[in-house]
mmCIF file of all heavy atoms in Angstrom:
data_model
loop_
_atom_site.group_PDB
_atom_site.id
_atom_site.type_symbol
_atom_site.label_atom_id
_atom_site.label_comp_id
_atom_site.label_asym_id
_atom_site.label_seq_id
_atom_site.Cartn_x
_atom_site.Cartn_y
_atom_site.Cartn_z
ATOM 1 N N TYR A 16 -26.170 1.612 -2.923
ATOM 2 C CA TYR A 16 -24.890 1.370 -2.344
ATOM 3 C C TYR A 16 -23.749 1.735 -3.294
ATOM 4 O O TYR A 16 -23.833 1.219 -4.427
ATOM 5 C CB TYR A 16 -24.786 -0.030 -1.856
ATOM 6 C CG TYR A 16 -25.778 -0.424 -0.810
ATOM 7 C CD1 TYR A 16 -26.800 -1.298 -1.080
ATOM 8 C CD2 TYR A 16 -25.625 -0.037 0.501
ATOM 9 C CE1 TYR A 16 -27.780 -1.691 -0.105
ATOM 10 C CE2 TYR A 16 -26.559 -0.411 1.564
ATOM 11 C CZ TYR A 16 -27.611 -1.224 1.249
ATOM 12 O OH TYR A 16 -28.482 -1.647 2.155
ATOM 13 N N LEU A 18 -20.134 0.827 -4.081
ATOM 14 C CA LEU A 18 -19.069 -0.115 -3.696
ATOM 15 C C LEU A 18 -17.770 0.612 -3.698
ATOM 16 O O LEU A 18 -16.969 0.582 -2.795
ATOM 17 C CB LEU A 18 -19.107 -1.302 -4.600
ATOM 18 C CG LEU A 18 -20.384 -2.123 -4.527
ATOM 19 C CD1 LEU A 18 -20.302 -3.300 -5.515
ATOM 20 C CD2 LEU A 18 -20.632 -2.759 -3.160
ATOM 21 N N VAL A 24 -24.532 -0.004 -6.618
ATOM 22 C CA VAL A 24 -25.608 -1.013 -6.630
ATOM 23 C C VAL A 24 -26.972 -0.359 -6.298
ATOM 24 O O VAL A 24 -27.098 0.254 -5.246
ATOM 25 C CB VAL A 24 -25.286 -2.204 -5.543
ATOM 26 C CG1 VAL A 24 -26.399 -3.161 -5.627
ATOM 27 C CG2 VAL A 24 -23.911 -2.775 -5.851
ATOM 28 N N ALA A 26 -29.937 -1.110 -5.070
ATOM 29 C CA ALA A 26 -30.586 -2.133 -4.276
ATOM 30 C C ALA A 26 -32.089 -2.005 -4.335
ATOM 31 O O ALA A 26 -32.927 -2.961 -4.412
ATOM 32 C CB ALA A 26 -30.169 -2.206 -2.854
ATOM 33 N N PRO A 45 -36.063 -13.253 -5.669
ATOM 34 C CA PRO A 45 -34.759 -14.002 -5.719
ATOM 35 C C PRO A 45 -33.740 -13.398 -4.785
ATOM 36 O O PRO A 45 -33.885 -12.226 -4.395
ATOM 37 C CB PRO A 45 -34.354 -13.964 -7.170
ATOM 38 C CG PRO A 45 -35.236 -12.878 -7.804
ATOM 39 C CD PRO A 45 -36.399 -12.725 -6.958
ATOM 40 N N SER A 46 -32.754 -14.121 -4.541
ATOM 41 C CA SER A 46 -31.681 -13.666 -3.677
ATOM 42 C C SER A 46 -30.991 -12.459 -4.337
ATOM 43 O O SER A 46 -30.790 -12.407 -5.525
ATOM 44 C CB SER A 46 -30.633 -14.777 -3.510
ATOM 45 O OG SER A 46 -29.634 -14.305 -2.630
ATOM 46 N N GLY A 47 -30.766 -11.420 -3.500
ATOM 47 C CA GLY A 47 -30.133 -10.217 -4.023
ATOM 48 C C GLY A 47 -31.106 -9.258 -4.700
ATOM 49 O O GLY A 47 -30.655 -8.235 -5.239
ATOM 50 N N SER A 48 -32.397 -9.523 -4.575
ATOM 51 C CA SER A 48 -33.364 -8.704 -5.261
ATOM 52 C C SER A 48 -33.654 -7.392 -4.429
ATOM 53 O O SER A 48 -34.211 -6.452 -4.977
ATOM 54 C CB SER A 48 -34.681 -9.431 -5.451
ATOM 55 O OG SER A 48 -35.143 -9.906 -4.316
ATOM 56 N N GLY A 49 -33.315 -7.336 -3.192
ATOM 57 C CA GLY A 49 -33.452 -6.125 -2.449
ATOM 58 C C GLY A 49 -34.469 -6.271 -1.262
ATOM 59 O O GLY A 49 -34.821 -5.295 -0.601
ATOM 60 N N LYS A 50 -34.817 -7.600 -0.921
ATOM 61 C CA LYS A 50 -35.792 -7.782 0.145
ATOM 62 C C LYS A 50 -35.247 -7.306 1.475
ATOM 63 O O LYS A 50 -35.976 -6.546 2.236
ATOM 64 C CB LYS A 50 -36.104 -9.290 0.269
ATOM 65 C CG LYS A 50 -36.580 -10.005 -1.034
ATOM 66 C CD LYS A 50 -36.981 -11.380 -0.863
ATOM 67 C CE LYS A 50 -35.817 -12.263 -0.498
ATOM 68 N NZ LYS A 50 -34.717 -12.381 -1.432
ATOM 69 N N SER A 51 -34.063 -7.681 1.784
ATOM 70 C CA SER A 51 -33.520 -7.248 3.101
ATOM 71 C C SER A 51 -33.371 -5.701 3.184
ATOM 72 O O SER A 51 -33.609 -5.126 4.248
ATOM 73 C CB SER A 51 -32.221 -7.933 3.364
ATOM 74 O OG SER A 51 -32.418 -9.357 3.554
ATOM 75 N N THR A 52 -32.896 -5.157 2.101
ATOM 76 C CA THR A 52 -32.822 -3.766 2.061
ATOM 77 C C THR A 52 -34.095 -3.098 2.326
ATOM 78 O O THR A 52 -34.169 -2.121 3.132
ATOM 79 C CB THR A 52 -32.312 -3.315 0.624
ATOM 80 O OG1 THR A 52 -31.081 -4.035 0.353
ATOM 81 C CG2 THR A 52 -31.996 -1.751 0.607
ATOM 82 N N LEU A 53 -35.177 -3.594 1.672
ATOM 83 C CA LEU A 53 -36.470 -3.064 1.862
ATOM 84 C C LEU A 53 -36.929 -3.136 3.429
ATOM 85 O O LEU A 53 -37.316 -2.216 4.028
ATOM 86 C CB LEU A 53 -37.546 -3.760 1.098
ATOM 87 C CG LEU A 53 -38.943 -3.354 1.249
ATOM 88 C CD1 LEU A 53 -39.259 -2.076 0.627
ATOM 89 C CD2 LEU A 53 -39.926 -4.434 0.704
ATOM 90 N N ASP A 172 -37.338 -11.256 8.685
ATOM 91 C CA ASP A 172 -36.590 -11.479 7.428
ATOM 92 C C ASP A 172 -36.112 -12.913 7.371
ATOM 93 O O ASP A 172 -35.104 -13.240 8.015
ATOM 94 C CB ASP A 172 -35.373 -10.485 7.367
ATOM 95 C CG ASP A 172 -34.706 -10.470 5.982
ATOM 96 O OD1 ASP A 172 -35.028 -11.351 5.186
ATOM 97 O OD2 ASP A 172 -33.920 -9.570 5.851
ATOM 98 N N GLU A 173 -36.785 -13.704 6.574
ATOM 99 C CA GLU A 173 -36.595 -15.134 6.420
ATOM 100 C C GLU A 173 -36.446 -15.842 7.797
ATOM 101 O O GLU A 173 -35.348 -16.422 8.053
ATOM 102 C CB GLU A 173 -35.290 -15.330 5.563
ATOM 103 C CG GLU A 173 -35.412 -14.768 4.195
ATOM 104 C CD GLU A 173 -34.322 -15.254 3.238
ATOM 105 O OE1 GLU A 173 -34.043 -16.486 3.304
ATOM 106 O OE2 GLU A 173 -33.865 -14.406 2.485
ATOM 107 N N VAL B 405 -26.972 -1.546 10.082
ATOM 108 C CA VAL B 405 -27.069 -2.561 9.045
ATOM 109 C C VAL B 405 -25.719 -3.194 8.799
ATOM 110 O O VAL B 405 -25.627 -4.412 8.703
ATOM 111 C CB VAL B 405 -27.652 -1.927 7.723
ATOM 112 C CG1 VAL B 405 -27.746 -2.974 6.604
ATOM 113 C CG2 VAL B 405 -29.027 -1.385 8.046
ATOM 114 N N GLU B 406 -24.701 -2.345 8.666
ATOM 115 C CA GLU B 406 -23.322 -2.882 8.493
ATOM 116 C C GLU B 406 -22.979 -3.785 9.584
ATOM 117 O O GLU B 406 -22.448 -4.883 9.425
ATOM 118 C CB GLU B 406 -22.372 -1.690 8.409
ATOM 119 C CG GLU B 406 -22.503 -0.799 7.249
ATOM 120 C CD GLU B 406 -21.977 -1.444 5.962
ATOM 121 O OE1 GLU B 406 -21.034 -2.197 6.061
ATOM 122 O OE2 GLU B 406 -22.579 -1.108 4.858
ATOM 123 N N ARG B 409 -24.590 -7.143 9.398
ATOM 124 C CA ARG B 409 -24.031 -8.028 8.365
ATOM 125 C C ARG B 409 -22.657 -8.533 8.691
ATOM 126 O O ARG B 409 -22.181 -9.363 7.979
ATOM 127 C CB ARG B 409 -23.946 -7.184 7.016
ATOM 128 C CG ARG B 409 -25.270 -6.941 6.312
ATOM 129 C CD ARG B 409 -25.180 -5.759 5.316
ATOM 130 N NE ARG B 409 -24.263 -6.080 4.293
ATOM 131 C CZ ARG B 409 -24.562 -6.515 3.082
ATOM 132 N NH1 ARG B 409 -25.875 -6.665 2.825
ATOM 133 N NH2 ARG B 409 -23.709 -6.743 2.130
HETATM 134 N N1 ADP C 501 -24.192 -2.732 2.618
HETATM 135 C C1 ADP C 501 -24.212 -3.106 1.277
HETATM 136 N N2 ADP C 501 -23.228 -2.630 0.536
HETATM 137 C C2 ADP C 501 -23.200 -2.938 -0.776
HETATM 138 N N3 ADP C 501 -24.094 -3.615 -1.389
HETATM 139 C C3 ADP C 501 -25.168 -4.052 -0.744
HETATM 140 C C4 ADP C 501 -25.248 -3.854 0.773
HETATM 141 N N4 ADP C 501 -26.356 -4.371 1.201
HETATM 142 C C5 ADP C 501 -26.948 -4.931 0.134
HETATM 143 N N5 ADP C 501 -26.232 -4.814 -0.897
HETATM 144 C C6 ADP C 501 -26.631 -5.204 -2.346
HETATM 145 O O1 ADP C 501 -27.875 -4.827 -2.638
HETATM 146 C C7 ADP C 501 -28.580 -5.816 -3.255
HETATM 147 C C8 ADP C 501 -29.869 -6.271 -2.441
HETATM 148 O O2 ADP C 501 -29.478 -6.921 -1.328
HETATM 149 P P1 ADP C 501 -30.415 -7.513 -0.220
HETATM 150 O O3 ADP C 501 -31.467 -6.461 0.041
HETATM 151 O O4 ADP C 501 -29.660 -8.050 0.851
HETATM 152 O O5 ADP C 501 -31.073 -8.740 -1.043
HETATM 153 P P2 ADP C 501 -32.015 -9.946 -0.608
HETATM 154 O O6 ADP C 501 -32.270 -9.739 0.829
HETATM 155 O O7 ADP C 501 -33.211 -9.792 -1.402
HETATM 156 O O8 ADP C 501 -31.214 -11.194 -0.903
HETATM 157 C C9 ADP C 501 -27.598 -7.009 -3.482
HETATM 158 O O9 ADP C 501 -27.052 -6.826 -4.732
HETATM 159 C C10 ADP C 501 -26.527 -6.723 -2.429
HETATM 160 O O10 ADP C 501 -25.357 -7.255 -2.906
#
Side-chain angles (χ1 to χ4, degrees):
Chain A
Y16 294 107
L18 298 178
V24 180
S46 183
S48 56
K50 304 183 297 295
S51 294
T52 307
L53 178 73
D172 193 348
E173 299 192 44
Chain B
V405 176
E406 294 286 326
R409 283 162 62 99

